[in-house]
Amino acid sequence: IELLKEISKIRNLKRKINFIPTMGNLHNGHLNLIRRAKKQTNITLVSIFVNPLQFNNRIDYKTYPRTLEDDKKILINEGIDILFLPTDNFISKKSDLLDLGVIPKKLCGKDRPGHFEGVARVIFRFLSLIKPDYIFLGEKDFQQILVIKKVIKKFKCDTRIKVIQTIRDVNKIALSSRNNLLKENFKQAIIIPRVLFKVKKLIESGSCSLSEIDKIKSNIQEECNVYLKYLEVLKESNLDSLNNVYSRCRIFICVSISEIRLIDNLSLNGKYRLSKIGVIERKKEVD
Ligand code: AMP
């Protein structure tokens, strides 16, 4: 109710709202979203909510890092306007299943059934309540962005998405709250950017075949102490496999290191298609 009052005050003043949803345990990836949102003169509203519906594993939910007091200090320091901390009954458990097509079933959706439906339900609740003008989302969770796009379209929400680039550490490992759970195994995560940038270079040079990618996959399994869940090159718009039509594409990876799940992705410059002999071909630029 307090939040609704604040929102109506903001609306009366004809101010716009930039919304940044998070699960807390804030790092520079989150701060980058917040700083980008603050560059505009709009009100910045950050939420911290570890959404139980998007965890399909109780242990993962329980062990998800929660550092609310530190997060609050960080947000005060950043000068955000509103912090929204929903309680667990924020979303009803009743399952009015959202049909969002095939995107939630691909990549992470394969071994996390219900995960993206959980994301979609909490985001829909946020959007209906806050009605933000913009929602700021990190490119790191690219599949999540596609799912949220679907929610916005399906429910005709008046919110625009701002996609903000992935922030990486010195070893190019994408910052993530889950990195903190890795402790001494953290070094192993370096395989993720290594593989992503290697595959990007191979594909952009114009002559990478699917069998080469398969080789890279089996090398990861043999040489590293990590479990590769997927490494795929897919169309950016709908996560379909490449076919004979040139499309914008992206490389997606997910590994599990001591049961901690880490994801990342990288966009490819140019457009690509798959030739009949399984080579990923780059479209020639016309100048
Ligand atoms: P989370 O707290 O993990 O749910 O993330 C909240 C928002 O921060 C999402 O839009 C994420 O995509 C974004 N985010 C998380 N990590 C990064 C990162 N390393 N770089 C940029 N954005 C990120």
Side-chain angles (χ1 to χ4, degrees):
I1 291 168
E2 282 300 309
L3 177 76
L4 292 179
K5 274 192 205 152
E6 277 303 314
I7 289 173
S8 89
K9 264 195 240 161
I10 295 165
R11 294 287 171 215
N12 288 337
L13 293 170
K14 304 257 179 296
R15 303 272 312 263
K16 291 190 170 173
I17 299 177
N18 287 346
F19 173 47
I20 306 110
T22 82
M23 297 207 293
N25 191 237
L26 302 177
H27 51 65
N28 278 334
H30 298 114
L31 294 194
N32 189 48
L33 293 186
I34 292 167
R35 287 173 191 162
R36 290 293 297 273
K38 275 196 62 89
K39 269 194 182 167
Q40 301 175 340
T41 51
N42 303 344
I43 295 287
T44 43
L45 192 161
V46 176
S47 66
I48 298 183
F49 181 54
V50 184
N51 170 23
L53 293 188
Q54 70 187 70
F55 287 81
N56 42 350
N57 174 327
R58 286 296 303 167
I59 300 174
D60 192 20
Y61 174 65
K62 286 216 161 130
T63 55
Y64 194 84
R66 289 164 171 86
T67 49
L68 188 56
E69 290 314 310
D70 289 345
D71 292 348
K72 280 185 187 165
K73 284 183 204 144
I74 293 173
L75 293 174
I76 290 171
N77 219 10
E78 290 296 317
I80 65 144
D81 299 294
I82 303 175
L83 169 61
F84 179 33
L85 300 169
T87 50
D88 271 354
N89 54 10
F90 175 60
I91 24 175
S92 71
K93 295 255 160 18
K94 268 189 272 136
S95 178
D96 42 345
L97 267 181
L98 294 168
D99 179 15
L100 297 169
V102 290
I103 287 174
K105 305 203 167 50
K106 299 186 179 196
L107 297 175
C108 288
K110 281 187 193 159
D111 64 342
R112 297 189 81 187
H115 165 70
F116 287 112
E117 285 77 7
V119 170
R121 284 181 57 202
V122 77
I123 290 292
F124 178 57
R125 181 89 171 91
F126 276 131
L127 297 185
S128 329
L129 195 71
I130 302 166
K131 299 189 177 63
D133 298 275
Y134 296 96
I135 181 168
F136 284 68
L137 301 170
E139 197 179 355
K140 184 176 91 69
D141 298 278
F142 194 83
Q143 188 173 10
Q144 179 168 289
I145 296 175
L146 294 182
V147 169
I148 295 173
K149 251 189 202 164
K150 283 254 166 203
V151 172
I152 289 179
K153 198 167 168 206
K154 184 167 175 144
F155 296 100
K156 301 188 175 66
C157 304
D158 206 4
T159 298
R160 292 177 57 188
I161 297 180
K162 293 267 186 194
V163 178
I164 308 298
Q165 72 180 60
T166 302
I167 301 295
R168 302 175 179 281
D169 71 6
V170 283
N171 295 311
K172 295 203 170 122
I173 299 173
L175 301 188
S176 162
S177 305
R178 290 180 197 274
N179 292 351
N180 296 334
L181 300 171
L182 288 171
K183 301 195 176 91
E184 68 274 13
N185 291 328
F186 180 64
K187 284 187 288 275
Q188 294 173 10
I190 204 162
I191 187 71
I192 301 171
R194 265 195 201 146
V195 167
L196 277 179
F197 285 93
K198 180 177 175 177
V199 173
K200 177 176 164 77
K201 205 168 160 194
L202 267 175
I203 296 178
E204 287 180 348
S205 70
S207 57
C208 178
S209 63
L210 290 188
S211 59
E212 252 166 293
I213 294 180
D214 283 342
K215 243 185 265 163
I216 293 173
K217 283 189 197 174
S218 43
N219 283 348
I220 301 173
Q221 295 293 50
E222 281 160 26
E223 291 166 22
C224 310
N225 205 5
V226 304
Y227 176 68
L228 178 70
K229 292 197 178 247
Y230 59 74
L231 170 65
E232 294 193 46
V233 182
L234 300 173
K235 292 192 185 187
E236 204 168 68
S237 61
N238 53 13
L239 305 184
D240 275 356
S241 302
L242 273 63
N243 56 12
N244 58 352
V245 182
Y246 285 114
S247 315
R248 291 209 58 85
C249 297
R250 194 172 272 267
I251 314 161
F252 297 87
I253 189 166
C254 176
V255 305
S256 165
I257 302 175
S258 5
E259 308 276 316
I260 311 292
R261 188 189 174 88
L262 300 173
I263 57 168
D264 201 351
N265 66 81
L266 212 51
S267 69
L268 291 164
N269 291 322
K271 288 186 171 181
Y272 296 85
R273 70 175 181 190
L274 194 65
S275 77
K276 284 193 183 122
I277 53 166
V279 175
I280 301 173
E281 292 176 339
R282 184 173 183 162
K283 188 174 183 186
K284 294 206 173 59
E285 315 275 337
V286 204
D287 36 31

